[in-house]
Amino acid sequence: MGDLESNTVLKRITYLEKREDLSQTDFGQHWVGPHAEIARDLPGVACYLQNHVQHRISLSDEPAYRVDGIVELWFQSDEVVSAASDSLVADRLVEDELKFLSGLTGGPVIAHLPHEPWPYKIWVLGLRKPETTSDALGQWEQKLCGSLPGVLGSEINLLKDNPVLLLREGLRHETQIPHVAVALGFEDQHSAENALDVIAADQHKLLGLLRNVHVYLARERVIVDAQVGAES
């Protein structure tokens, strides 16, 4: 984990919603297959991870984020972010998105360097309460990890202030992108499912820090291996 402010790197998280006429299996196969083959050629990408959502629980009454997949994309520098967006590969990606997506919303986050592979992840998504500090989130994260058997690591992704969001014409976007995305990594599905139960049972502490909280269990797929050092 380490100190978030001193170990940051350029990263974007994008939330994907599948087309309604596709099954979760068909959505996943296209995303990890033809779409990933295009994305591998995107210039300047240091690491690209896909997170295929398998299960979700809601800890709030507000509508859940419509998320079937979560993209984690690290870039090598500020310059390559613009270059990647303006590339012919990006044009091909946009064209392909219509084949399997109905929604897409992305935003830049304050985050750590890429981590070692985490086969399964729990994602805690929420909106930050005004009084909630980064230290308070970090303390909750560390205490939670201490109570979870089989956890490989964790990270807090914080949406940057006044972010320029990634949106697509013709695709739905979230009316409110999550301010906070906490990722917890596990070696196996059983450990990840156990973490879901622990978070749900002790949700009052989390709901003291965030609102509109929804939790997702996902399978990680590594598309582009990390080209920068991993942070434990």
Side-chain angles (χ1 to χ4, degrees), residues 78-178:
D78 283 310
E79 291 75 18
V80 300
V81 176
S82 297
S85 298
D86 295 336
S87 68
L88 293 177
V89 176
D91 293 341
R92 293 172 58 204
L93 288 172
V94 171
E95 181 180 357
D96 188 69
E97 286 163 359
L98 296 175
K99 297 178 181 179
F100 72 113
L101 297 181
S102 62
L104 179 153
T105 312
V109 297
I110 300 171
H112 288 298
L113 301 173
H115 53 73
E116 295 296 326
W118 295 343
Y120 289 87
K121 284 184 191 159
I122 295 296
W123 285 90
V124 180
L125 306 182
L127 305 181
R128 191 170 179 171
K129 292 185 176 181
E131 65 275 16
T132 299
T133 65
S134 297
D135 286 343
L137 283 169
Q139 290 169 9
W140 170 82
E141 172 204 22
Q142 291 178 17
K143 186 173 182 180
L144 175 65
C145 288
S147 68
L148 296 176
V151 66
L152 298 176
S154 64
E155 64 175 353
I156 299 176
N157 300 276
L158 301 177
L159 187 68
K160 290 188 175 182
D161 293 335
N162 303 312
V164 177
L165 297 182
L166 175 67
L167 309 174
R168 295 286 196 238
E169 185 177 354
L171 294 180
R172 191 195 67 83
H173 62 85
E174 291 288 344
T175 57
Q176 178 64 74
I177 189 172

Side-chain angles (χ1 to χ4, degrees), residues 61-72:
D61 294 333
E62 297 98 327
Y65 310 103
R66 289 187 275 187
V67 176
D68 296 296
I70 300 173
V71 178
E72 295 178 90

Side-chain angles (χ1 to χ4, degrees), residues 10-14 71-75 81 85 106-109 166:
L10 293 170
K11 182 180 179 181
R12 184 172 69 214
I13 290 183
T14 304
V71 178
E72 295 178 90
L73 202 59
W74 287 261
F75 293 94
V81 176
S85 298
V109 297
L166 175 67

